[in-house]
Amino acid sequence: MNYLYRNNSANRIVWLMKTLCTDGLPASTTRCYSTKLAPESPPVPKVASTVSNVPTERKSIVPPNYRYVYQEFLPDPKVEWRNSVREKLERKDMLDRRANIDIPEFYVGSIVAVTSSDLHAENKTARFVGICILREKCGLRARFILRNVIDHQGIEISYDLYDPTLQKIEVLRLEKRLDENLLYLRDALDEYSTFDVNMEPEILPEGSPVPINDVKVVLKPRPWYARWERHNLQGVANIDEHTNERRRRKAEAVATPWEKYDLMKEYRRTIPEEEQKEIFTEIYSQIHSLELARKKMKRKRTFVKPTKLA
């Protein structure tokens, strides 16, 4: 019995090996399995991939000049005054306000005309034309100051940028100056702050850069509104004429020229670029639609109807 069992088992193993070696193959082809290592195949040259697997940084759709045009959307850099919920709600209110009134692009040194509600005026509205000498604060508290000399009297009016009483803001001349603020015009000659109240707007070609007015004003003799010799002003011509040696030594003693190299102080005074991109990405869609509407209205204003028809 053992001999017959062993013989049947051997026959079964032989039949199984033949089936594995010849199943699905032509009669002349023999397939077998071996424990020997297969011969090494020649290396296949690698084809350079056209698509890189390294993730590339996605380009931002927000123009880089937004941080200067819409600077009031950036929060205050002081940490103790930050509140993300309040800032987000303020940005929503600011966008709603911009949907009702056109707030154009302007800088310190631009000539601006503002029409606001006034209960004591004849037509219940008042229009003031002046040069912007200061822009400060952020959010709904952003404000600017206009200055003009009328009847040999200097007049300054401070406006909140998002005040609901403002009816219209017009930029009569878009330009920049050499300094961040022009408060020294209070001590300058009147001719540098005098502008016609009926001034016509000067429209720049679309896409042209904002011009920089490099005029240097002449200050009146002391007393001054501030110690301008300590402010390192670029737009004043005769500041040394009214500064004696004692005042010059005091200005050098309190000067801090090393602060421009203090990276941590500069970091604390500004909003990080990553946070700026996040904020402007949030408001870009609505701001962009408002810009397109403004450009469309600007083209209508610049169109001159021909006097003769063909």
Side-chain angles (χ1 to χ4, degrees), residues 187-190 192 216-220 235-238 241-242:
D187 298 321
L189 299 178
D190 293 346
Y192 297 102
K216 294 183 179 293
V217 304
V218 178
L219 297 181
K220 301 177 183 177
V236 179
N238 65 332
E241 296 179 6
H242 305 287

Side-chain angles (χ1 to χ4, degrees), residues 103-108 110 112 132 135 144 161 169 171 174:
I103 302 180
E105 170 189 4
F106 68 95
Y107 305 90
V108 172
S110 300
V112 183
C132 180
R135 286 194 66 173
F144 61 98
L161 189 60
I169 301 178
V171 178
L174 181 63

Side-chain angles (χ1 to χ4, degrees), residues 106-112 130-135 143-147 177 181-182 185 195:
F106 68 95
Y107 305 90
V108 172
S110 300
I111 313 300
V112 183
I131 182 173
C132 180
I133 63 174
L134 179 67
R135 286 194 66 173
R143 74 184 188 108
F144 61 98
I145 299 178
L146 300 184
R147 176 180 174 82
R177 290 293 184 96
N181 65 75
L182 303 180
L185 289 180
F195 303 95

Side-chain angles (χ1 to χ4, degrees), residues 178-226:
L178 299 176
D179 299 300
E180 295 182 355
N181 65 75
L182 303 180
L183 295 178
Y184 55 79
L185 289 180
R186 297 171 177 175
D187 298 321
L189 299 178
D190 293 346
E191 62 186 68
Y192 297 102
S193 301
T194 304
F195 303 95
D196 186 9
V197 294
N198 298 319
M199 178 180 176
E200 294 292 332
E202 302 176 4
I203 301 177
L204 292 176
E206 186 176 350
S208 60
V210 180
I212 299 178
N213 191 345
D214 56 354
V215 63
K216 294 183 179 293
V217 304
V218 178
L219 297 181
K220 301 177 183 177
R222 294 177 184 268
W224 289 342
Y225 170 78

